[in-house]
Amino acid sequence: MTLDGFSGINAGYVLELYDRFRADPLSVDEKTRALFETWRPTDAPTTERGDGRDVEVAVAAAKLVESIRRYGHLAATLDPLGEPPPGDPSLSPRAYGITDDDLKALPAALVGGVFAETSGNAFEAIEKLRRVYCSSTGFDYAHVFVPEEREWLRAAAESGRFLPPMDPESSEALLDRITQIDVFERFLQKTFPGKTRFSIEGLDMLVPMLDEIMAGASGMGTRHIVVGMAHRGRLNVLAHVLNKPYAQILAEFKDPIAQQTLRLDVGWMGDVKYHAGASTAVPRGQMFVSLVPNPSHLEAVNPVVVGMARAAGTAAGARGEPHFDGARTLPVLIHGDMAFPGQGIVAETLNLSRLAGYHTDGTLHIIANNQLGFTATPGESYSTSYASGLARGFKIPIVHVNADDPAACLEAARLSWEYRMRFRRDFLIDLVGYRRYGHNEGDEPAFTQPEMYQKIASHPTVRELFARMLVAHGMVTEGAVVGLEKKHFLALETAYRSLKPEEDFVAPLPQQVPAGVAGLTKTGVAVDRLRDLNDALMSVPPGFTVHRKLERGRERRKAMLANANERVVDWSAAEDLALASVLADGIPIRLTGEDVERGTFSHRHAVLHDAANGDQYVPLQSMPQARAAFEIHNSPLTENATIGFEFGYNLQEPGRLVIWEAQYGDFINGAQVILDQFLTSGRAKWGLRPSLVLLLPHGYEGQGPEHSSARPERFLQAAADINLRLVNCTTAAQYFHVLRRQALLLEKDPLPLIVLTPKSLLRHQAVWSMPRELAEGRFLSVIDDADARQRASAVTRLVLCSGKVSVDVLSHERRASASEVAVCRVEQLYPFPKVALSEVVAGYPSLREVVWLQEEPENMGGWEFMRPRLDELIGDTRTLRYIGRARNSSPSEGSLAWHQLNQKALASLAFELETDASSPSVVLSKAARSYATAKH
Ligand SMILES: Cc1ncc(C[n+]2csc(CCOP(=O)(O)OP(=O)(O)O)c2C)c(N)n1
């Protein structure tokens, strides 16, 4: 007898069906009818018979079954150190007022699933169910909302079909692997006592689980596995999953000062060994496995890994939308049990998992749960019941598993993989083990966890436990166990004995690019070609209704390129044309960010919405000239995870132009970890070559402290050697050229590009350019004052400024009469345009002073970076002055009126010549404040 037709065990539902069947046998499906026809009357609990006790018992039994499936994990023996599980009253028949004998009187069919068929009665079936749900695995999936998934998970758990075969051959192979993992740590402990290695011991099964996942993935045609993990167990994973040679790892422990490590000329600094990344090609399967380098900042690597996996699975070689195939790529994230609930970037990354443009068709998560974080306990670290609690909200199935049970661990790994391939969604394994040493091997854990560490000291390793079990079952001999140990010790000893640390140590040095490549890049696009592109961008499919308010701008845009010498190309047209030309060059583009489709300032409209029916149309995907894919997505509201994601995407596919745009540049500090730990230092630490573009609206327009500054000072502080380009350009043509330059340098000279972009200037004619400037020009790091050049010998003051404030100064009423003043725009802040600026300075023979004028406070903006460089550049005979707001902890004033006052005074001060060469720098807001006081 089977209850399969009832799909799930719910006694109320069974009874209702049975009543329906009795009233009308044809009202239930065929399978159910067959079941009820053979049911003995005493089996059928109905409300019509006796005192109703049968019904109560059946309902109670069904509830018990339901509870075991739902809450059985609370009674699972997950802790290798033997801490009893919390349990739950609902798992006992007593909670429902029934006994074991009551259950024995009920049919096994009541339990459903595989045990209904293999058990004599409900009691037997429930005992089997208990062995599944309350064993060393805790299946925790009741929160999954999709019934089909839940049903699959139930069947997968209860059928045991993912349990590995435990025949002598595969058992010995597994013991061999576990021995290799165990011996590696013991060898390092013996050879380098007390040296930090963040041993895997206590969570050794992590490696065989990764083996299982990789084998499954490779068999299904996956091409890239991208793994992210923190320090714990990383060396072991590097050695045994990424096949990093023992010699290299041992050489890193020796830490030689090899010739190649001292490469300050390329800005090389390197990193500690347990942060390093590695890649390997897995033989036969033609699959690449990468372990992404990561900083100490726990979990920060998550979005990077997911972004890499997304890129690896995305084909972008043809016009239109790129095509993502999740079967080709698999991200695996290994988390810490305290970091997973604690670090916000975990939730931010999980939130990407189902979004168009971001999802990976499922990320596999493993929490390496050693029940401690440094010295902190679970009770001090998370408010959820399990370390994995956060995943429940995202409806991710969870399997908790005892790390001392190898078969259960492998089952969890296999199940996770199958689920991911079937449903294309995230899965989480909570691998519960322990930590044999302190936070690191030099740390004394008994100071804070004396009882736990007493237990650990006498707790056998998983290798010992597994070997004992296999010997007891006659699957391997004791001699074979010892033989395996010897074999792996010998491999390490041999590598160690023949070690030549200086030679065996290989640092992943960043590539040196010949100087000047960027400056020589030709970025102009002929006007005819621009016209073609513009026509394509301005056409819409027949019948498509563009919003009425957009039409005027589009009409202007259509005629924009008619006259090559007319200053009509605005900012967004320049961007559109730059992107179109890049696509026509065959370079794919991914543009994401906060409301990028329309543009924060309603200027882009890269995705048109039919005003009549909401249909969407993306000209950059449809233009016939495109030879590569274009994608654009409004990013979810996080900076850290989305920029991390784009950084990863860019690393994996460096030949694509990857751009992220902030709502306002101010919010960029929400991604400070990704910027500092990956974007700006990844090259010096790990030899990475990112080329991500960040568009950060910047400029003082009276919108207050949090809508003014993209914090250029933070990028300038991190700028060194050859790690980034920071520009603050002031014309549409400059923006056009800098975007194209970035695309054309992706292979030759990749560097992150940070563009401080305008806000009000998006619509300001002052930034408009001539089509000819797009065709003939190239990006200029400095724009000299063309008017002042005509009267160069009269100029005594050179005002250097960058970005929007230059427009304020250049358009100031006093400029026309200030023949002694030249205003030069510094369009590229980093690399410092030394040569171009020297030429400007040299062009004014009567120059007495150079002023750095900025709208940011003195301790922000470019000043503190520029000061020593300009000092050196202008020499002793000229004075260097500062005009700008006074030092302040806040970027700007909160009042629009006060801002306007300051801004006006600031531009005006550019033309007030100092007579006393020794007078202090002008600090604007003091002046403005006294001005304001005098007026009122
Ligand atoms: C963002 C961040 N904050 C603080 C630390 C310092 N730290 C290093 S390891 C650690 C404990 C992490 O615990 P858990 O996530 O359980 O990993 P485990 O070290 O136990 O493997 C802490 C707080 C860090 N590395 N990263």
Side-chain angles (χ1 to χ4, degrees):
M1 187 185 294
T2 156
L3 281 180
D4 278 356
F6 294 138
S7 73
I9 299 309
N10 179 324
Y13 179 56
V14 175
L15 293 171
E16 193 190 306
L17 271 187
Y18 188 64
D19 285 346
R20 262 172 37 202
F21 163 77
R22 294 199 349 152
D24 172 14
L26 291 178
S27 68
V28 300
D29 66 54
E30 202 180 322
K31 233 172 150 188
T32 311
R33 198 160 52 243
L35 175 69
F36 285 148
E37 272 160 6
T38 57
W39 220 0
R40 282 175 291 121
T42 49
D43 290 340
T46 76
T47 46
E48 291 166 23
R49 287 179 297 110
D51 57 1
R53 171 72 186 151
D54 285 353
V55 176
E56 280 171 17
V57 169
V59 169
K63 280 186 181 163
L64 173 65
V65 167
E66 177 83 15
S67 290
I68 293 174
R69 288 192 168 110
R70 199 173 251 275
Y71 305 117
H73 56 85
L74 293 171
T77 48
L78 300 175
D79 183 8
L81 302 177
E83 190 63 32
D88 192 89
S90 70
L91 301 173
S92 157
R94 279 193 306 279
Y96 308 97
I98 54 173
T99 63
D100 289 352
D101 286 340
D102 288 330
L103 294 173
K104 283 175 190 160
L106 286 171
L110 195 86
V111 174
V114 66
F115 300 134
E117 290 161 25
T118 58
S119 313
N121 56 47
F123 176 79
E124 262 181 41
I126 287 172
E127 283 310 291
K128 287 178 187 164
L129 210 57
R130 241 186 247 291
R131 281 199 286 278
V132 167
Y133 287 97
C134 310
S135 63
S136 45
T137 300
F139 294 97
D140 185 358
Y141 61 80
H143 52 277
V144 173
F145 274 180
V146 182
E148 188 199 348
E149 286 183 35
R150 228 176 23 241
E151 191 54 27
W152 185 90
L153 288 161
R154 184 193 67 70
E158 292 172 22
S159 66
R161 69 188 171 97
F162 293 110
L163 277 165
M166 278 296 148
D167 55 83
E169 202 184 325
S170 28
S171 300
E172 186 165 344
L174 179 56
L175 179 65
D176 187 19
R177 188 64 161 158
I178 298 175
T179 307
Q180 185 182 40
I181 296 153
D182 174 82
V183 165
F184 176 79
E185 298 291 355
R186 280 155 64 203
F187 179 84
L188 291 178
Q189 179 71 2
K190 188 179 77 160
T191 315
F192 306 102
K195 267 209 177 184
T196 297
R197 64 177 201 281
F198 297 115
S199 131
I200 202 169
E201 288 151 287
L203 290 166
D204 310 45
M205 282 307 296
L206 183 62
V207 172
M209 287 167 80
L210 290 173
D211 291 343
E212 280 299 325
I213 290 168
M214 279 167 54
S218 145
M220 301 281 273
T222 301
R223 290 283 161 268
H224 289 268
I225 296 194
V226 191
V227 184
M229 72 182 295
H231 48 280
R232 184 79 49 211
R234 191 175 175 102
L235 292 181
N236 217 309
V237 169
L238 278 167
H240 300 127
V241 179
L242 276 296
N243 301 327
K244 183 167 175 171
Y246 283 160
Q248 164 89 10
I249 294 176
L250 295 171
E252 286 171 10
F253 272 91
K254 287 278 184 185
D255 200 6
I257 295 289
Q259 201 56 30
Q260 52 181 339
T261 51
L262 300 174
R263 288 293 306 275
L264 293 176
D265 55 328
V266 286
W268 175 246
M269 287 291 255
D271 198 356
V272 291
K273 49 191 165 300
Y274 40 82
H275 288 165
S279 290
T280 188
V282 181
R284 283 178 296 123
Q286 294 158 1
M287 185 172 75
F288 272 97
V289 184
S290 315
L291 178 64
V292 184
N294 68 269
S296 197
H297 295 58
L298 295 167
E299 309 290 337
V301 79
N302 295 0
V304 178
V305 167
V306 175
M308 287 178 76
R310 173 83 194 185
T314 302
R319 176 163 67 99
E321 261 188 277
H323 174 69
F324 175 70
D325 177 2
R328 296 181 64 79
T329 178
L330 172 69
V332 179
L333 287 174
I334 299 161
H335 309 271
D337 51 318
M338 304 300 157
F340 185 83
Q343 292 292 311
I345 198 159
V346 174
E348 291 185 18
T349 308
L350 291 177
N351 189 45
L352 302 178
S353 64
R354 296 195 186 178
L355 301 182
Y358 293 90
H359 72 82
T360 57
D361 272 5
T363 299
L364 296 187
H365 304 265
I366 303 176
I367 297 184
N369 186 346
N370 54 22
Q371 309 188 63
L372 279 177
F374 220 121
T375 67
T377 61
E380 292 165 323
S381 305
Y382 46 88
S383 298
T384 44
S385 312
Y386 290 105
S388 55
L390 178 67
R392 285 175 153 245
F394 291 92
K395 310 297 172 219
I396 297 171
I398 300 164
V399 170
H400 312 277
V401 62
N402 185 321
D404 269 0
D405 184 340
C409 291
L410 296 192
E411 181 192 29
R414 289 168 169 215
L415 195 154
S416 73
W417 165 248
E418 283 285 332
Y419 170 88
R420 189 267 181 185
M421 280 314 282
R422 196 178 183 91
F423 297 105
R424 300 294 171 99
R425 290 198 165 160
D426 288 25
F427 193 96
L428 189 144
I429 300 171
D430 178 19
L431 177 65
V432 185
Y434 57 92
R435 190 182 72 188
R436 187 154 290 277
Y437 298 91
H439 168 65
N440 60 50
E441 288 63 32
D443 206 31
E444 176 51 81
F447 287 155
T448 48
Q449 273 78 31
E451 288 164 332
M452 186 182 202
Y453 273 83
Q454 248 173 27
K455 274 193 209 166
I456 291 173
S458 60
H459 187 76
T461 63
V462 65
R463 183 194 66 81
E464 287 168 320
L465 290 170
F466 190 52
R468 268 185 223 165
M469 195 270 281
L470 294 184
V471 171
H473 286 80
M475 300 232 241
V476 293
T477 62
E478 288 199 19
V481 173
V482 176
L484 291 176
E485 265 189 287
K486 278 192 182 151
K487 178 178 83 173
H488 292 298
F489 265 115
L490 189 65
L492 283 151
E493 269 155 14
T494 309
Y496 189 60
R497 253 186 270 119
S498 53
L499 195 69
K500 298 187 194 73
E502 284 79 7
E503 289 165 38
D504 289 323
F505 181 82
V506 183
L509 290 180
Q511 210 172 324
Q512 178 79 309
V513 176
V517 171
L520 294 174
T521 308
K522 289 196 175 132
T523 47
V525 176
V527 175
D528 283 349
R529 193 163 158 76
L530 289 174
R531 285 187 189 123
D532 273 356
L533 294 171
N534 197 48
D535 289 347
L537 291 171
M538 286 300 103
S539 57
V540 290
F544 190 93
T545 315
V546 177
H547 194 283
R548 181 174 55 79
K549 287 190 188 159
L550 293 180
E551 276 303 358
R552 234 182 85 222
R554 287 170 58 80
E555 287 311 312
R556 196 184 86 77
R557 186 62 205 271
K558 283 177 191 164
M560 192 175 272
L561 302 171
N563 180 349
N565 294 316
E566 206 180 340
R567 199 169 287 286
V568 285
V569 181
D570 62 24
W571 197 271
S572 50
E575 178 188 272
D576 212 11
L577 290 167
L579 299 183
S581 66
V582 166
L583 293 172
D585 287 344
I587 299 170
I589 300 174
R590 177 177 162 93
L591 169 57
T592 64
E594 295 166 338
D595 303 281
V596 281
E597 293 187 3
R598 189 202 70 172
T600 295
F601 309 100
S602 199
H603 63 286
R604 180 172 289 122
H605 300 288
V607 177
L608 294 169
H609 297 254
D610 188 307
N613 59 21
D615 281 358
Q616 296 185 16
Y617 176 68
V618 184
L620 285 162
Q621 283 172 348
S622 303
M623 47 174 259
Q625 298 92 333
R627 293 197 294 118
F630 173 74
E631 66 179 315
I632 182 162
H633 307 283
N634 290 337
S635 60
L637 193 40
T638 132
E639 287 76 27
N640 221 12
T642 49
I643 299 180
F645 184 100
E646 301 310 327
F647 176 82
Y649 191 104
N650 166 236
L651 277 191
Q652 182 69 32
E653 284 295 339
R656 302 178 191 172
L657 183 62
V658 184
I659 308 174
W660 185 87
E661 181 174 77
Q663 191 106 78
Y664 285 87
D666 309 65
F667 303 114
I668 190 69
N669 52 12
Q672 207 60 49
V673 174
I674 297 293
L675 300 183
D676 290 351
Q677 267 58 44
F678 289 93
L679 189 73
T680 59
S681 63
R683 185 181 171 100
K685 293 192 294 191
W686 308 316
L688 303 180
R689 307 183 76 203
S691 54
L692 179 64
V693 180
L694 299 178
L695 304 180
L696 308 179
H698 173 85
Y700 282 52
E701 301 182 349
Q703 292 175 286
E706 320 309 355
H707 288 86
S708 295
S709 177
R711 302 292 194 151
E713 62 277 3
R714 296 196 175 172
F715 291 102
L716 289 171
Q717 191 195 36
D721 304 305
I722 38 176
N723 69 334
L724 59 86
R725 297 190 181 97
L726 172 61
V727 302
N728 191 3
C729 37
T730 55
T731 73
Q734 283 281 84
Y735 183 47
F736 174 88
H737 289 299
V738 85
L739 285 178
R740 282 193 45 77
R741 182 178 79 169
Q742 184 70 3
L744 299 180
L745 289 177
L746 286 176
E747 269 167 31
K748 273 186 278 174
D749 188 9
L751 283 181
L753 171 68
I754 291 95
V755 188
L756 305 181
T757 55
K759 295 174 287 182
S760 63
L761 288 193
L762 289 169
R763 293 186 169 74
H764 200 298
Q765 296 193 7
V767 304
W768 289 7
S769 299
M770 292 184 265
R772 191 168 50 74
E773 289 170 315
L774 273 55
E776 292 170 5
R778 66 158 73 116
F779 178 75
L780 302 171
S781 56
V782 165
I783 301 180
D784 198 357
D785 186 333
D787 295 339
R789 273 265 160 248
Q790 314 295 321
R791 44 179 165 79
S793 55
V795 171
T796 58
R797 168 185 273 194
L798 173 65
V799 176
L800 301 176
C801 40
S802 190
K804 192 214 118 234
V805 74
S806 330
V807 177
D808 295 345
V809 177
L810 284 166
S811 55
H812 196 272
E813 62 209 23
R814 291 178 65 180
R815 175 165 149 77
S817 56
S819 58
E820 310 92 327
V821 179
V823 180
C824 168
R825 286 169 277 171
V826 180
E827 302 272 294
Q828 177 170 296
L829 296 164
Y830 195 85
F832 177 64
K834 189 173 173 182
V835 175
L837 275 173
S838 302
E839 283 169 12
V840 170
V841 169
Y844 297 107
S846 317
L847 203 61
R848 285 206 297 272
E849 57 178 25
V850 173
V851 171
W852 177 262
L853 185 150
Q854 67 177 29
E855 48 190 356
E856 300 88 353
E858 192 173 358
N859 51 323
M860 299 176 188
W863 169 236
E864 290 188 342
F865 172 83
M866 289 292 166
R867 185 178 196 158
R869 288 164 181 81
L870 291 176
D871 248 337
E872 192 189 324
L873 188 124
I874 66 175
D876 294 338
T877 54
R878 304 175 186 107
T879 307
L880 178 64
R881 291 185 192 288
Y882 165 78
I883 295 178
R885 286 170 169 81
R887 289 184 76 82
N888 205 303
S889 55
S890 169
S892 90
E893 27 334 70
S895 135
L896 176 62
W898 190 8
H899 156 81
Q900 284 167 343
L901 204 64
N902 270 342
Q903 208 71 6
K904 212 167 152 200
L906 181 128
S908 167
L909 283 168
F911 305 101
E912 260 167 40
L913 295 184
E914 296 287 322
T915 45
D916 177 4
S918 64
S919 75
S921 299
V922 176
V923 176
L924 167 79
S925 52
K926 280 185 194 150
R929 248 182 256 146
S930 55
Y931 171 69
T933 319
K935 276 201 90 177
H936 299 106

